[in-house]
Amino acid sequence: MRMNRLHRWWTAEMHKIKDLSPRQRVIYIWSYYKLWIISILSVIFLLSWGIHHYVTTNSDNWFFACFANIHADLGDGSEFWKDFASYAGYDLNEKNLVFNDQCYFDPEGKTAGNQYYQMLIAYMEAGALDVLIMEEDRLQAIGASGRLMDLESEQVRTIYKRYEDRLVYCKPLEEDYGKEYVPIGIDLSGTVLTGEDGAYIDGAVLGINALAPHPERVEIFLSYLFEKTE
């Protein structure tokens, strides 16, 4: 049925432009479809860039975290970045530690054409990103799509047990997932990232990418966040 509608639309459009000059065809297509063209080209560019970045640098990363929707300086080269590298014992001459603090979007809002969102999804689906930190309701929206790890899985079972009293759940969009609610996040209340002096005044939750390349290093990062405030 959908293919039939697409075929009818295509036939109608070809009929409209068949008698137009080449210049008139370009003007017509750009006038009616420029938003689609820009969006498609942006997605192709971002996905290609993300995959290229993953292929060329992912094997050289110690850890990759994204801090979404903040204006604090937590990125590469920040004091926070340096302090964690020291805590974890990462030799930055050997591998990279990647902290992205330039990502702004609402997954429950309009994401079409949002370059930050498209870039994040490219990182996640390419298996480059380890963890995503953001507001609880927004992280739940990402988790519902299946892009965050079920914390009951064997890969992160120790994290599930250690932070059982801080679990954040979401309702999966897939009706046949097998669970009504899935643990996809760790509440970061009381850590250096939250509260009046933190990057997330109203609280934040950490989720693990379903395709995280270094799930075994997430516990080190969590320990750092909680221990730094003690």
Side-chain angles (χ1 to χ4, degrees), residues 6-24:
L6 181 61
H7 182 265
R8 288 198 297 270
W9 168 82
W10 179 259
T11 301
E13 290 301 298
M14 291 300 99
H15 180 73
K16 290 178 184 177
I17 67 174
K18 70 175 183 178
D19 295 326
L20 299 178
S21 67
R23 182 173 182 277
Q24 289 174 322

Side-chain angles (χ1 to χ4, degrees), residues 33-119:
Y33 300 107
K34 62 182 176 183
L35 292 179
W36 282 97
I37 294 171
I38 292 172
S39 295
I40 291 171
L41 290 177
S42 296
V43 170
I44 291 173
F45 170 77
L46 290 169
L47 286 175
S48 299
W49 188 91
I51 292 171
H52 172 74
H53 182 77
Y54 165 69
V55 170
T56 56
T57 68
N58 183 63
S59 60
D60 296 325
N61 287 345
W62 285 111
F63 192 69
F64 186 167
C66 176
F67 305 88
N69 303 327
I70 63 168
H71 297 286
D73 181 13
L74 300 181
D76 295 358
S78 66
E79 290 303 315
F80 179 78
W81 175 85
K82 293 176 184 176
D83 196 39
F84 174 64
S86 176
Y87 174 90
Y90 293 155
D91 182 350
L92 300 182
N93 292 316
E94 180 183 345
K95 296 181 182 180
N96 301 314
L97 173 61
V98 183
F99 279 6
N100 183 343
D101 62 356
Q102 301 293 314
C103 187
Y104 312 95
F105 68 94
D106 179 359
E108 296 182 296
K110 183 179 179 181
T111 55
N114 185 308
Q115 295 184 359
Y116 295 112
Y117 177 78
Q118 300 296 341
M119 181 65 72

Side-chain angles (χ1 to χ4, degrees), residues 104-220:
Y104 312 95
F105 68 94
D106 179 359
E108 296 182 296
K110 183 179 179 181
T111 55
N114 185 308
Q115 295 184 359
Y116 295 112
Y117 177 78
Q118 300 296 341
M119 181 65 72
L120 174 69
I121 298 305
Y123 281 136
M124 296 183 79
E125 295 188 350
L129 186 73
D130 287 298
V131 298
L132 171 63
I133 298 94
M134 64 191 310
E135 306 91 330
E136 180 174 333
D137 56 341
R138 294 179 176 181
L139 191 79
Q140 287 171 320
I142 295 288
S145 69
R147 291 190 171 96
L148 295 178
M149 193 175 292
D150 181 340
L151 298 183
E152 287 189 288
S153 64
E154 285 301 318
Q155 281 181 290
V156 291
R157 191 68 178 178
T158 56
I159 292 177
Y160 175 83
K161 291 180 178 179
R162 182 175 180 181
Y163 298 97
E164 196 167 4
D165 60 337
R166 288 179 170 272
L167 295 175
V168 172
Y169 294 77
C170 77
K171 188 178 180 65
L173 294 177
E174 292 184 18
E175 295 181 359
D176 59 347
Y177 184 82
K179 298 180 183 177
E180 186 175 1
Y181 292 97
V182 181
I184 48 82
I186 304 296
D187 181 2
L188 298 180
S189 297
T191 69
V192 66
L193 291 179
T194 59
E196 293 184 3
D197 297 325
Y200 296 92
I201 296 176
D202 297 322
V205 178
L206 177 147
I208 304 173
N209 182 18
L211 300 176
H214 314 110
E216 73 283 358
R217 296 175 188 162
V218 177
E219 193 163 4
I220 299 173

